[in-house]
């Protein structure tokens, strides 16, 4: 193999390897493209000169030598997970518009995996294809440290980092979950609800952020918080089902439930239905995320929409900028959420308010009222 390589001459892969850069970076330098860090350009140029690299126009594979590559790394999640599938879709859309390729890799690891045992994706280990990584899925600080030690640029989906970010709010994009949760709880209070319960496993940071926002709004309104914050099942829908059962068995007068995610809300819904109660007639329900099934429920789920496609696009934009200037930290990108009013929330009427009861007959104009 080595004798054949010498006979054929050095390739762009050899140049990238010797310069210690990705294949896409070497390609942009050798094709005299703009936007490359001067130090990286110098390394590639010197490597090409030392290897006597000659660019073979006719034999060049354009898809590998001219198109920069972003690698989307999905950690500790299934490929069909609705959140990360949409992040990938958004990233792929942006990269296609910008002339970049997206490569998909899965990675499973634990928070306590030592760096020496952390099996990084092959593309990252080889450091020969990815210009920049998008770290999606659920991640821990040990992967970030391992990625930095490998010298590969990356950007992070910030909502799902379990643990402290090593560099603070840089090189990451996330949704503004705190603002979305506050808006949702305030809406329930405006509807007259006072006994509002939160359900979500706050050992996971995305639920913790939403729970803290809930606590803040309840405190501002002078209301007593009520929550089930310890997960009763690893499955989100089953956790919503079991948590609602535990709350209702205590005989608490709940008028509204804020589920920390839509799939948690689906479990809440099933438990309420099995008890012979109705949503929103007996209990209003607010979700979070706006998953694909949210609007298919009957009535459709009121929820806080997270624009996952847009977050994916922003991650791709940042990854491309990072590939061009690996040493320059990028400020955090925060994408706003949106409260989507559908049919599972309804004004709460205190017992004895006969005039209000007569004015708000359940089932009449509920969806239209909630969407105005």
């Amino acid at each position: 193999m080595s004798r054949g390589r010498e006979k054929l001459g050095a390739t762009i892969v050899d140049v990238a390897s010797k310069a210690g850069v990705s294949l896409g970076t070497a390609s942009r330098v050798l094709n005299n493209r703009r936007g490359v860090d001067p130090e990286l350009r110098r390394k590639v140029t010197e490597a090409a000169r030392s290897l006597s690299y000659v660019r073979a126009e006719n034999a060049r594979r354009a898809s590998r030598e001219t198109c920069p590559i972003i690698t989307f790394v999905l950690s500790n999640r299934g490929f069909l997970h609705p959140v990360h599938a949409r992040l990938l879709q958004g990233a792929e859309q942006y990269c296609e518009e910008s002339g970049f390729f997206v490569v998909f890799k899965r990675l499973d690891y634990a928070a306590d995996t030592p760096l020496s045992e952390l099996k990084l994706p092959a593309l990252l280990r080889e450091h020969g294809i990815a210009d920049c990584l998008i770290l999606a899925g659920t991640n821990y600080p040990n992967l970030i440290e391992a990625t930095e030690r490998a010298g590969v640029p990356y950007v992070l989906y910030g909502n799902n980092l379990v643990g402290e970010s090593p560099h603070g709010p840089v090189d990451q994009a996330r949704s503004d979950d705190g603002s979305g949760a506050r808006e949702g709880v305030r809406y329930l209070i405006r509807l007259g609800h006072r006994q509002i319960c939160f359900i979500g496993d706050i050992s996971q940071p995305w639920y913790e952020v939403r729970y803290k926002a809930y606590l803040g709004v309840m405190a501002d309104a002078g209301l007593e918080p009520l929550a089930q914050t310890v997960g009763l099942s690893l499955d989100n829908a089953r956790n919503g089902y079991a948590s609602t059962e535990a709350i209702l068995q205590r005989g608490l007068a709940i008028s509204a439930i804020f589920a920390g995610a839509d799939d948690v809300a689906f479990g809440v819904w099933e438990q309420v239905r099995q008890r012979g109660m109705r949503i929103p007639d007996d209990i209003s329900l607010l979700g979070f995320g706006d998953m694909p099934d949210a609007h298919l429920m009957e009535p459709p789920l009121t929820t806080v929409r997270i624009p996952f496609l847009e977050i994916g696009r922003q991650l791709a934009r940042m990854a491309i900028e990072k590939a061009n200037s690996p040493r320059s930290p990028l400020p955090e990108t925060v994408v706003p959420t949106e409260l989507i009013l559908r049919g599972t929330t309804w004004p709460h009427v205190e017992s004895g308010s006969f005039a209000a009861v007569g004015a708000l007959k359940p089932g009449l104009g509920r969806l239209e009222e909630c969407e105005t």
Side-chain angles (χ1 to χ4, degrees):
M1 291 293 293
S2 61
R3 286 194 296 271
R5 175 66 59 85
E6 290 173 0
K7 184 176 181 179
L8 293 174
T11 68
I12 191 172
V13 176
D14 299 320
V15 174
S17 178
K18 186 174 182 63
V21 301
S22 70
L23 185 60
T25 297
S27 170
R28 292 201 300 279
V29 173
L30 296 174
N31 285 285
N32 199 31
R33 294 192 178 186
R34 292 178 294 179
V36 180
D37 182 83
E39 178 62 17
L40 295 181
R41 185 179 296 276
R42 181 190 64 78
K43 289 183 177 180
V44 172
T45 302
E46 290 182 357
R49 185 181 300 113
S50 67
L51 293 172
S52 300
Y53 171 78
V54 178
R55 184 179 173 203
E57 284 286 345
N58 295 333
R60 185 179 62 190
R61 294 182 181 182
S63 65
R64 289 288 301 275
E65 294 198 11
T66 63
C67 295
I69 296 175
I70 301 299
T71 299
F72 187 100
V73 180
L74 180 61
S75 301
N76 303 308
R77 292 289 186 181
F79 174 70
L80 296 180
H81 192 284
V83 169
H84 302 284
R86 286 191 283 174
L87 290 177
L88 175 59
Q89 181 182 353
E92 192 278 333
Q93 288 175 352
Y94 190 93
C95 286
E96 183 176 7
E97 296 166 3
S98 305
F100 276 67
F101 282 152
V102 176
V103 175
F104 174 82
K105 296 293 292 184
R106 282 200 67 250
L107 176 65
D108 290 319
Y109 69 100
D112 58 355
T113 302
L115 296 184
S116 59
E117 300 176 11
L118 191 56
K119 304 298 183 182
L120 301 181
L123 292 181
L124 194 159
R125 292 200 310 269
E126 293 166 2
H127 194 191
I129 295 183
D131 290 281
C132 187
L133 305 178
I134 294 175
L135 300 181
T138 298
N139 285 295
Y140 306 99
N142 54 344
L143 177 66
I144 295 177
E145 184 176 350
T147 304
E148 293 180 345
R149 288 190 179 186
V152 182
Y154 71 90
V155 295
L156 174 72
Y157 175 49
N159 295 89
N160 281 29
L161 176 64
V162 182
E164 294 296 325
S165 175
H167 304 300
V170 296
D171 296 338
Q172 66 179 25
R174 63 175 177 86
S175 58
D176 192 357
D177 287 11
S179 293
R182 285 188 288 272
E183 183 180 9
V185 178
R186 286 169 183 154
Y187 173 68
L188 292 176
I189 293 174
R190 290 199 304 273
L191 289 179
H193 294 281
R194 296 296 180 265
Q195 295 79 34
I196 304 171
C197 179
F198 174 89
I199 296 178
D201 180 3
I202 64 171
S203 67
Q204 301 174 15
W206 47 97
Y207 289 115
E208 182 183 18
V209 169
R210 299 162 196 174
Y211 176 59
K212 287 181 177 179
Y214 158 84
L215 290 178
V217 174
M218 294 292 282
D220 291 344
L223 300 177
E224 188 71 24
L226 174 65
Q228 172 59 41
T229 59
V230 177
L232 301 180
S233 172
L234 294 178
D235 179 84
N236 287 334
R238 291 188 65 84
N239 182 47
Y241 179 92
S243 295
T244 305
E245 181 179 21
I247 291 166
L248 295 179
Q249 281 181 347
R250 295 167 60 186
L252 299 174
I254 302 300
S255 68
I257 293 178
F258 173 26
D262 285 354
D263 43 6
V264 174
F266 299 152
V268 172
W269 205 323
E270 180 61 18
Q271 176 61 229
V272 170
R273 185 191 67 81
Q274 288 189 11
R275 286 178 171 265
M277 303 167 69
R278 295 181 299 172
I279 289 178
D281 304 80
D282 301 304
I283 295 179
S284 284
L285 179 61
L286 171 68
F288 205 102
D290 197 24
M291 293 292 99
D293 291 341
H295 71 284
L296 300 178
M297 305 299 292
E298 181 54 43
L301 179 65
T302 297
T303 187
V304 176
R305 174 178 293 164
I306 300 176
F308 293 109
L309 282 174
E310 178 59 25
I311 296 171
R313 292 180 62 87
Q314 291 300 321
L315 285 167
R317 175 191 62 78
M318 296 177 70
I320 292 172
E321 292 184 21
K322 195 71 177 176
N324 289 330
S325 300
R327 299 182 179 181
S328 301
L330 299 174
E332 177 185 57
T333 296
V334 180
V335 181
T337 56
E338 178 185 4
L339 178 62
I340 304 299
L341 304 182
R342 296 191 178 114
T344 59
T345 47
W346 189 243
H348 178 61
V349 179
E350 297 290 348
S351 60
S353 300
F354 300 107
V357 171
L360 296 173
K361 294 180 180 179
L364 295 180
R366 176 181 299 122
L367 185 57
E368 291 77 9
E369 175 73 19
C370 288
E371 289 186 340
T372 58

